[in-house]
């Protein structure tokens, strides 16, 4: 049989494993067999994502790998910042 590459957003690190695992929420898989934390100011609420989503205007996330929903992890910027 032919070995197959995991699709973007999924990974497999176990030799001989017949399937792939979703990148967890808070991470994204833009490269084959690799999951990366979402950068500052971006989130990934669902597993198996190939990109992260920006928090939005006048909001910011202050940590990487954010998985929770946008309202709880992308608070409005404090007065004097945007």
């Amino acid at each position: 049989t032919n070995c197959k590459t995991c699709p973007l957003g999924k990974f497999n690190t176990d030799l001989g494993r017949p399937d792939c695992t979703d990148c967890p929420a808070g991470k994204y898989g833009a490269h084959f067999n690799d999951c990366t934390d979402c950068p500052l100011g971006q989130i990934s609420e669902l597993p198996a994502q190939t990109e992260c989503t920006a928090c939005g205007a006048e909001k910011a996330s202050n940590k990487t790998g954010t998985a929770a929903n946008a309202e709880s992890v992308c608070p409005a910027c404090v007065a004097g910042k945007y």
Side-chain angles (χ1 to χ4, degrees):
T1 64
N2 292 336
C3 295
K4 298 176 184 174
T5 302
C6 291
L8 297 179
K10 296 178 180 271
F11 70 100
N12 177 343
T13 57
D14 299 325
L15 184 63
R17 185 175 173 162
D19 58 357
C20 300
T21 302
D22 292 346
C23 290
K27 296 182 180 283
Y28 69 104
H31 305 284
F32 293 108
N33 208 39
D34 181 47
C35 298
T36 304
D37 282 349
C38 290
L40 291 175
Q42 297 187 10
I43 61 169
S44 172
E45 298 180 66
L46 301 172
Q49 298 300 298
T50 59
E51 60 185 15
C52 299
T53 305
C55 283
E58 299 178 11
K59 295 187 177 198
S61 169
N62 61 0
K63 60 183 177 176
T64 61
T66 302
N69 67 45
E71 293 303 315
S72 67
V73 298
C74 294
C77 295
V78 297
K81 300 204 177 207
Y82 68 96

